[in-house]
Amino acid sequence: MPFRVRAVILVAMSQRATVARSAEGAHSLPREYYADPAWLVRERQTLFQREWLLAAHVCDLPDTPCCHPVEVAGQPVLLVRQEDQSIQAFHNVCRHRGALLVDDPGGPCERGAITCPYHGWSFSLNGSLKGTPNMPGLTRAERDALGLLPIATRVWQGFVLIRFGHRSSRVDPLWDTVAAEIAPWGIETLVRTRRLTYQVQANWKLLFQNYSECYHCPLVHPALNRLTPYQASDNRFTAGLVLGGPMQLAEEVESMTSTSRRIADCLPGLSGPSCRTIVYFTIFPTFFLSLHPDFVLVHSLHPTAYDRTRVECDFYVHPSAASASDFEPAPAIEFWDVTNRQDWHVCERVQRGAASLAFQPGPYSDLESVVAAFDRHYLQSVTASR
Amino acid sequence: MPFRVRAVILVAMSQRATVARSAEGAHSLPREYYADPAWLVRERQTLFQREWLLAAHVCDLPDTPCCHPVEVAGQPVLLVRQEDQSIQAFHNVCRHRGALLVDDPGGPCERGAITCPYHGWSFSLNGSLKGTPNMPGLTRAERDALGLLPIATRVWQGFVLIRFGHRSSRVDPLWDTVAAEIAPWGIETLVRTRRLTYQVQANWKLLFQNYSECYHCPLVHPALNRLTPYQASDNRFTAGLVLGGPMQLAEEVESMTSTSRRIADCLPGLSGPSCRTIVYFTIFPTFFLSLHPDFVLVHSLHPTAYDRTRVECDFYVHPSAASASDFEPAPAIEFWDVTNRQDWHVCERVQRGAASLAFQPGPYSDLESVVAAFDRHYLQSVTASR
Amino acid sequence: MPFRVRAVILVAMSQRATVARSAEGAHSLPREYYADPAWLVRERQTLFQREWLLAAHVCDLPDTPCCHPVEVAGQPVLLVRQEDQSIQAFHNVCRHRGALLVDDPGGPCERGAITCPYHGWSFSLNGSLKGTPNMPGLTRAERDALGLLPIATRVWQGFVLIRFGHRSSRVDPLWDTVAAEIAPWGIETLVRTRRLTYQVQANWKLLFQNYSECYHCPLVHPALNRLTPYQASDNRFTAGLVLGGPMQLAEEVESMTSTSRRIADCLPGLSGPSCRTIVYFTIFPTFFLSLHPDFVLVHSLHPTAYDRTRVECDFYVHPSAASASDFEPAPAIEFWDVTNRQDWHVCERVQRGAASLAFQPGPYSDLESVVAAFDRHYLQSVTASR
């Protein structure tokens, strides 16, 4: 969806902010980034290996121990809650013949082991090889080398993040900066009340770029634009891993819902001004956070082809709200489902136009400075050595 | 469908015609032209850029001004009727972020402007950039460079033709020669009464080759062969851009319909012998004209994959016939729908056979001299520099 | 499905058998063999050209003369029963324009000729060009060169085998060895009572490997494992073209059916011990033979994409059983349909896991020695010159 603007209604604007908001003459990316199937292959081998990717929320692994299979960037992944409560990701692939180990989202890790349904090889929750029926000859060293392949994992603000590649152990300091910004929402304590899933016929980058500006809001989202006028925004983060910032709710508007009323009380960590803004952050490459006074919206992009993206859109609320007998999230879900579909429609139009042999990148407006910032960060990431 | 034959029932035949009809030992094209996906990519970059392609009929743009989006050779195109009645084609792609500008076939050009639904950029009917909301910084030179990208356009005998490439401005003199031949049908005055659309699982060239001979008519089209016996044909054009010629209607037959009666009076420009023939012309690469005494049939090929072709089959009649209260085009539509399907079936069989690793080009008969002429012109066009 | 095991219940085991059963530390094939579309292209050009492939059973060509179209390794093939009762395979492609000649499985060869439905070219049953309507100019030499393209054909134990490539005329002596082993089943006298067809979302090699071991039987096929316990097996052939051997039926079990009773008498050539075993042979690359006391099961693999395989599973019985008024093959069909689906499910899981960028080949157990033997023979065949 929305944002980032030369905020005409904000009177005072520092020189620095002006620079940060400018697209500085940048143009959109050339045709091949959207229309060439080979490009996604390259992205899978580079940036989707290098970057921390959203895999789940802690509420997906409620019990100790438990397993949760997910697909991230096209790779089968198994998240395992360990006995010590920590969460570790593994490739969801048996080390014997390569069968997918767990495919049922509710699949249990029975008796502390993950057992392959093909030949019965089993693994401890920590990934170590446990049982190999009918293979008496394996040496200790061989067994030690045949544990599940681990994936770098960390929990950040309630989200389970994973990174496939091994090279760098450095974590961008922006993660900490943003964590401090979003701590009041207490996302690690929230529960998911609904997941919407979409199949969009557009390259994933078009969805990212679309979310990164509200220049399109007046025409594409007239209802949204009434709740948060597109000029009433600010860019808190303007370069690198994290981009975005707050938009002000119009007077009389409580939240982004079809009734413009909240679906629950303000989250307990929020107060005063925080209850009057929506904060939109993108975390490169496929994770969007939309913080509302009463709920948190998360978009997660899953590229399935150069011109296809599966989108999961999750609604998180406070457990006390979710358990209330009169809880009704429909106004929030309806509002965002309509808004999402408006976005996918224009993204699909750009996919069709950008695939034209005649397509030429056009200039960005200052309202699209964050789109330009995405492009710059993307080009850096996709061309960096793995 | 039909034609081109050593016309055994035509008594006198010049030496030149004999030569022209001979396939001269030519063989059909090798397997890769039909079975290699890379070949269509090359064709899109060469011949579909170089050649004039059928985009619409003037009856698709009745009002002044109006817009008509079409897809030609896989590219999104916007045809615009200008205030001065002329028609100009543009790439149907916004110069800002590349969104498809107009997708509704009935989409109006409101208030003399074409407005992108994404961020509201607008263009005059002549393509010049008109409005760019929230982009005060664009210079005059920048704005001048951001008009819609025009495509070479001309109207020929009521058909709107476009050419994507820019190199040559030369127009083959055969267009004028053929125009004189078909002028009596007055196609620019006709209206479309029906469009049939087909998805054929065959390479577009197989459809062209199939239309270029009536050697297959006895076995594939027994009903058609009764109306126009396959030997009763002549080849008016035997090399280059335009190929084909007339076939004689059998006695007692008025037109190619399921009743063998005409669905309307002879077109006003026709008289005598013209009312007793069907004239079949192909215009390279994807435009077939089938001129009947009472209606004009147009096939337009749209390659969508190396082994898939969308075919649009349009029926044009005189407006006085179309507006008559008892007008009934069904006999013509039925007849040609049956004939089309017979053709697509054999084309799909050739696609399957020609994709065999064992396929070897076979020799053409004299009845297939026009197929050989197509092959020669095709090879010249696809290998010429763009 | 099943087999090959360090046969713990067989007391005496020669040193040679022990070695033959060992996987000798081999690992499964790397990811690209299953997940790279280019690999199937290479396989089609090499091993599927070099090897003898199952095309039909003699019961498919009952009459003299008759035609039987099949698709083998993606190529259209026409089997023709000649006047002298012999069977000859041809490419099912007309030598004129390449149309598929015969597509109806019940298509007759009328009046001793195969006639193309496009332009009427006709061929004798021996493939020679017979009729070319409207092509008087063809010379004798040209006509001689335009017969149907023959494919090497032989009938082996009632099966019609073909080989596309021409290089070697050598036939592996293992064919004769196996023929002697299976002669008692008299397969050339049997008739097909049912064909099951499956579309499996897995590379064809995963299906071959899965059939080559019964290590998976306890977990994947609990019912089958009760009829033929996985340890009660022996490997008769342990390297090269043919692999496999017998499994012993458990006490009280008559055959592999849902009732564990036979669906017919023991085949007339069998007696004593042969009536107490199931013999499983694979014949490289796509032909599996499962010999039961009362019926013969044949699996034939048809790779349609790197991750898609069509499987035909045929049930052959004695004609006297098939013609009995109370013949009921359902218990056999049900049993194998369930078993097949269990196999396809695990093969599809391996396809998903082996396509993971993280997949690493794992070690084979001794129970998978025949899988390792397949891998070795496969690598030899796919890398050999055509």
Side-chain angles (χ1 to χ4, degrees):
Chain A
M1 208 283 304
F3 64 111
R4 253 105 300 177
V5 183
R6 179 181 294 274
V8 294
I9 66 161
L10 297 180
V11 177
M13 182 169 291
S14 72
Q15 176 63 21
R16 181 185 165 282
T18 304
V19 170
R21 277 155 176 282
S22 167
E24 294 174 24
H27 286 63
S28 53
L29 297 172
R31 174 180 183 276
E32 62 262 30
Y33 288 87
Y34 309 111
D36 182 352
W39 210 256
L40 180 62
V41 176
R42 178 166 181 181
E43 289 170 348
R44 283 202 197 283
Q45 293 169 343
T46 56
L47 74 87
F48 288 112
Q49 293 289 318
R50 293 166 51 85
E51 305 292 339
W52 287 98
L53 304 173
L54 177 62
H57 183 266
V58 290
C59 70
D60 290 314
L61 295 117
D63 304 316
T64 300
C66 70
C67 290
H68 184 66
V70 288
E71 189 173 289
V72 179
Q75 304 303 308
V77 172
L78 185 64
L79 305 175
V80 185
R81 172 82 77 174
Q82 307 289 312
E83 296 283 0
D84 69 357
Q85 301 285 335
S86 70
I87 294 174
Q88 176 64 48
F90 299 100
H91 288 283
N92 187 7
V93 178
C94 183
R95 293 302 309 278
H96 174 219
R97 292 267 289 278
L100 195 76
L101 278 173
V102 180
D103 67 351
D104 179 359
C109 302
E110 284 175 359
R111 293 181 300 275
I114 302 154
T115 301
C116 180
Y118 198 0
H119 301 91
W121 281 35
S122 63
F123 302 86
S124 303
L125 298 187
N126 67 9
S128 63
L129 182 58
K130 193 168 177 177
T132 54
N134 289 299
M135 287 195 76
L138 281 183
T139 67
R140 182 60 182 256
E142 284 171 325
R143 299 177 66 85
D144 287 350
L146 287 168
L148 293 182
L149 293 171
I151 303 167
T153 315
R154 62 198 177 90
V155 177
W156 175 86
Q157 296 293 307
F159 295 108
V160 182
L161 305 174
I162 64 172
R163 185 171 60 185
F164 291 112
H166 300 293
R167 280 289 173 81
S168 162
S169 61
R170 198 181 66 87
V171 173
D172 191 314
L174 268 177
W175 287 102
D176 285 344
T177 312
V178 174
E181 296 258 335
I182 72 175
W185 278 264
I187 300 173
E188 68 282 3
T189 66
L190 305 185
V191 295
R192 184 185 297 118
T193 187
R194 181 71 180 274
R195 166 167 292 184
L196 301 174
T197 301
Y198 304 93
Q199 305 288 345
V200 187
Q201 297 189 30
N203 185 278
W204 67 273
K205 296 185 290 295
L206 297 176
L207 278 67
F208 197 114
Q209 292 161 338
N210 177 71
Y211 186 91
S212 299
E213 45 93 357
C214 208
Y215 180 13
H216 70 271
C217 294
L219 272 182
V220 176
H221 308 300
L224 178 148
N225 201 49
R226 281 191 294 273
L227 305 190
T228 50
Y230 75 104
Q231 303 96 334
S233 71
D234 192 13
N235 288 331
R236 182 70 186 79
F237 296 95
T238 56
L241 176 76
V242 180
L243 299 168
M247 292 186 75
Q248 305 302 318
L249 288 164
E251 270 190 69
E252 308 285 326
V253 174
E254 290 181 358
S255 189
M256 308 298 278
T257 70
S258 58
T259 60
S260 65
R261 301 273 80 86
R262 287 193 303 267
I263 58 168
D265 289 341
C266 270
L267 291 167
L270 304 180
S271 64
S274 307
C275 289
R276 301 293 310 142
T277 61
I278 311 294
V279 181
Y280 296 104
F281 289 136
T282 57
I283 304 179
F284 188 83
T286 51
F287 179 8
F288 307 161
L289 263 173
S290 306
L291 310 172
H292 295 63
D294 46 341
F295 65 97
V296 168
L297 185 72
V298 174
H299 288 84
S300 180
L301 309 184
H302 298 268
T304 54
Y306 76 97
D307 59 351
R308 294 285 186 283
T309 305
R310 186 180 82 249
V311 183
E312 291 167 358
C313 174
D314 290 333
F315 296 79
Y316 294 95
V317 297
H318 197 270
S320 66
S323 60
S325 61
D326 61 347
F327 177 60
E328 183 46 81
I333 294 166
E334 276 173 32
F335 177 84
W336 278 108
D337 188 33
V338 167
T339 302
N340 285 336
R341 291 176 191 277
Q342 291 166 336
D343 280 322
W344 312 153
H345 174 72
V346 289
C347 290
E348 291 179 345
R349 285 184 86 120
V350 178
Q351 181 67 39
R352 291 172 65 192
S356 165
L357 291 171
F359 171 71
Q360 296 178 7
Y364 285 132
S365 71
D366 285 353
L367 300 188
E368 295 162 292
S369 61
V370 177
V371 184
F374 162 77
D375 288 0
R376 284 189 292 268
H377 192 69
Y378 165 79
L379 288 171
Q380 191 174 20
S381 179
V382 80
T383 57
S385 65
R386 178 174 165 182
Chain B
M1 210 282 305
F3 65 106
R4 255 103 299 182
V5 182
R6 180 181 291 273
V8 294
I9 66 161
L10 297 179
V11 178
M13 183 170 286
S14 72
Q15 176 62 24
R16 182 184 165 282
T18 304
V19 170
R21 277 157 177 282
S22 167
E24 293 174 24
H27 286 64
S28 54
L29 298 172
R31 174 180 183 276
E32 61 262 31
Y33 288 86
Y34 308 111
D36 182 352
W39 210 255
L40 181 62
V41 176
R42 178 166 180 183
E43 289 170 347
R44 284 202 197 283
Q45 292 168 343
T46 56
L47 73 87
F48 289 113
Q49 293 290 317
R50 293 166 49 86
E51 305 292 339
W52 287 98
L53 304 172
L54 177 61
H57 183 266
V58 290
C59 71
D60 290 314
L61 294 118
D63 304 317
T64 301
C66 70
C67 290
H68 184 66
V70 289
E71 190 174 288
V72 179
Q75 305 303 307
V77 171
L78 185 63
L79 305 175
V80 186
R81 173 82 79 174
Q82 307 288 313
E83 296 282 358
D84 69 358
Q85 301 285 335
S86 68
I87 294 174
Q88 176 64 49
F90 299 100
H91 288 283
N92 189 6
V93 178
C94 182
R95 294 301 309 278
H96 174 218
R97 292 267 287 277
L100 195 75
L101 278 173
V102 179
D103 67 351
D104 179 0
C109 304
E110 285 174 358
R111 292 180 301 275
I114 301 154
T115 302
C116 179
Y118 199 0
H119 301 90
W121 282 36
S122 62
F123 302 85
S124 303
L125 298 187
N126 66 9
S128 63
L129 182 59
K130 193 168 176 177
T132 54
N134 289 299
M135 287 195 76
L138 280 184
T139 66
R140 182 60 182 256
E142 284 171 326
R143 299 177 67 85
D144 286 351
L146 286 168
L148 293 182
L149 293 171
I151 303 168
T153 315
R154 64 197 176 92
V155 176
W156 175 86
Q157 296 293 306
F159 295 109
V160 182
L161 305 175
I162 63 171
R163 185 170 61 187
F164 290 113
H166 300 292
R167 279 290 172 82
S168 161
S169 60
R170 197 181 66 87
V171 173
D172 191 315
L174 269 176
W175 287 102
D176 285 344
T177 312
V178 174
E181 297 256 336
I182 72 175
W185 278 263
I187 300 174
E188 69 281 4
T189 67
L190 305 185
V191 296
R192 184 186 295 119
T193 188
R194 181 70 179 275
R195 166 168 291 184
L196 302 175
T197 301
Y198 304 92
Q199 305 287 346
V200 186
Q201 297 190 30
N203 185 279
W204 68 272
K205 296 185 289 295
L206 296 177
L207 279 68
F208 197 114
Q209 292 162 338
N210 177 70
Y211 186 90
S212 299
E213 45 93 355
C214 207
Y215 180 13
H216 69 271
C217 294
L219 273 181
V220 177
H221 308 300
L224 177 147
N225 201 50
R226 282 191 292 275
L227 306 189
T228 50
Y230 74 106
Q231 303 96 333
S233 71
D234 191 14
N235 288 331
R236 181 73 185 80
F237 296 96
T238 56
L241 176 77
V242 180
L243 299 169
M247 292 186 77
Q248 305 301 318
L249 288 164
E251 271 189 69
E252 310 285 325
V253 173
E254 291 180 358
S255 190
M256 308 297 279
T257 70
S258 57
T259 60
S260 65
R261 302 273 79 85
R262 288 193 303 268
I263 58 168
D265 289 340
C266 270
L267 291 167
L270 303 180
S271 64
S274 308
C275 289
R276 301 294 310 146
T277 61
I278 311 293
V279 182
Y280 297 104
F281 289 137
T282 58
I283 305 178
F284 187 83
T286 50
F287 179 8
F288 307 161
L289 263 174
S290 307
L291 310 171
H292 295 63
D294 47 340
F295 65 96
V296 169
L297 184 72
V298 173
H299 288 84
S300 180
L301 309 184
H302 298 268
T304 54
Y306 76 97
D307 59 352
R308 293 284 186 284
T309 305
R310 186 179 83 249
V311 183
E312 291 166 359
C313 175
D314 291 333
F315 296 78
Y316 294 95
V317 297
H318 197 271
S320 66
S323 60
S325 62
D326 61 347
F327 177 60
E328 183 46 81
I333 294 166
E334 276 172 30
F335 176 84
W336 278 107
D337 188 32
V338 167
T339 301
N340 285 335
R341 292 176 192 276
Q342 291 165 335
D343 281 322
W344 312 154
H345 174 71
V346 288
C347 289
E348 292 179 346
R349 283 183 87 119
V350 179
Q351 181 67 42
R352 290 172 65 192
S356 165
L357 291 171
F359 171 71
Q360 297 178 7
Y364 286 132
S365 71
D366 286 353
L367 301 187
E368 294 162 292
S369 60
V370 177
V371 185
F374 163 76
D375 288 0
R376 284 190 292 268
H377 192 68
Y378 166 78
L379 288 171
Q380 192 174 19
S381 180
V382 79
T383 57
S385 65
R386 178 174 164 181
Chain C
M1 206 282 303
F3 65 107
R4 252 100 305 174
V5 181
R6 180 179 293 273
V8 294
I9 66 163
L10 296 178
V11 177
M13 183 170 290
S14 73
Q15 176 63 22
R16 182 183 166 282
T18 304
V19 170
R21 279 160 175 281
S22 166
E24 293 174 23
H27 286 62
S28 53
L29 298 173
R31 173 180 184 277
E32 61 263 29
Y33 288 86
Y34 309 111
D36 182 352
W39 210 256
L40 181 61
V41 176
R42 178 166 180 182
E43 290 170 346
R44 283 201 198 284
Q45 292 169 343
T46 57
L47 73 87
F48 288 113
Q49 292 290 317
R50 293 167 49 86
E51 306 292 341
W52 288 98
L53 304 173
L54 177 61
H57 182 267
V58 290
C59 71
D60 290 314
L61 295 117
D63 303 317
T64 300
C66 69
C67 291
H68 184 66
V70 290
E71 189 173 289
V72 179
Q75 305 303 307
V77 172
L78 185 62
L79 305 175
V80 185
R81 173 83 78 173
Q82 307 289 312
E83 295 283 359
D84 68 358
Q85 301 286 335
S86 69
I87 294 174
Q88 176 64 48
F90 300 101
H91 288 283
N92 188 7
V93 178
C94 183
R95 293 303 308 278
H96 173 219
R97 291 267 290 277
L100 195 75
L101 277 173
V102 179
D103 67 351
D104 179 358
C109 304
E110 286 174 358
R111 292 183 300 276
I114 302 154
T115 302
C116 179
Y118 199 0
H119 302 90
W121 280 36
S122 61
F123 302 87
S124 303
L125 298 186
N126 66 8
S128 62
L129 182 59
K130 193 168 176 177
T132 53
N134 289 299
M135 287 196 75
L138 280 183
T139 67
R140 183 60 183 257
E142 284 170 326
R143 298 177 67 85
D144 287 350
L146 286 168
L148 293 182
L149 294 170
I151 303 168
T153 315
R154 63 197 177 92
V155 176
W156 176 87
Q157 296 293 306
F159 295 108
V160 183
L161 306 175
I162 63 172
R163 185 171 59 187
F164 291 112
H166 300 293
R167 280 289 174 82
S168 161
S169 60
R170 198 181 65 87
V171 173
D172 191 313
L174 268 176
W175 287 103
D176 285 343
T177 312
V178 174
E181 297 257 336
I182 72 176
W185 278 264
I187 301 174
E188 69 282 4
T189 68
L190 305 184
V191 295
R192 184 185 297 117
T193 188
R194 181 70 179 274
R195 167 167 291 183
L196 301 174
T197 301
Y198 304 92
Q199 305 289 347
V200 187
Q201 297 189 29
N203 185 279
W204 67 274
K205 295 185 290 295
L206 297 176
L207 277 68
F208 197 115
Q209 292 161 338
N210 177 71
Y211 185 91
S212 299
E213 45 93 356
C214 207
Y215 180 13
H216 70 271
C217 294
L219 272 181
V220 176
H221 308 300
L224 178 145
N225 201 50
R226 281 190 293 274
L227 305 190
T228 50
Y230 75 105
Q231 302 98 333
S233 71
D234 192 12
N235 288 331
R236 181 73 186 79
F237 296 96
T238 56
L241 176 77
V242 180
L243 299 169
M247 293 186 76
Q248 306 301 318
L249 287 164
E251 271 189 69
E252 309 285 325
V253 174
E254 291 180 358
S255 190
M256 309 298 277
T257 69
S258 57
T259 60
S260 65
R261 302 274 79 85
R262 287 194 301 269
I263 58 169
D265 289 340
C266 270
L267 290 167
L270 304 179
S271 65
S274 308
C275 289
R276 302 292 312 142
T277 60
I278 310 293
V279 182
Y280 297 103
F281 290 136
T282 57
I283 305 179
F284 187 83
T286 51
F287 180 7
F288 307 162
L289 264 173
S290 306
L291 309 171
H292 295 63
D294 46 341
F295 64 97
V296 169
L297 185 72
V298 173
H299 289 83
S300 180
L301 309 185
H302 298 269
T304 54
Y306 76 97
D307 60 350
R308 293 285 185 283
T309 305
R310 185 179 83 250
V311 183
E312 291 167 358
C313 175
D314 291 333
F315 296 78
Y316 294 96
V317 298
H318 197 269
S320 66
S323 60
S325 62
D326 60 345
F327 177 59
E328 183 46 84
I333 294 166
E334 276 173 31
F335 176 84
W336 278 108
D337 188 32
V338 167
T339 302
N340 286 335
R341 291 176 192 277
Q342 292 165 336
D343 281 322
W344 313 154
H345 174 71
V346 289
C347 289
E348 291 178 345
R349 285 184 87 120
V350 179
Q351 182 67 39
R352 290 172 65 192
S356 164
L357 291 172
F359 171 71
Q360 296 179 6
Y364 285 132
S365 72
D366 285 353
L367 300 188
E368 294 162 294
S369 61
V370 177
V371 185
F374 162 77
D375 289 359
R376 284 190 291 268
H377 192 69
Y378 165 80
L379 289 171
Q380 191 173 20
S381 179
V382 79
T383 56
S385 65
R386 179 174 163 183

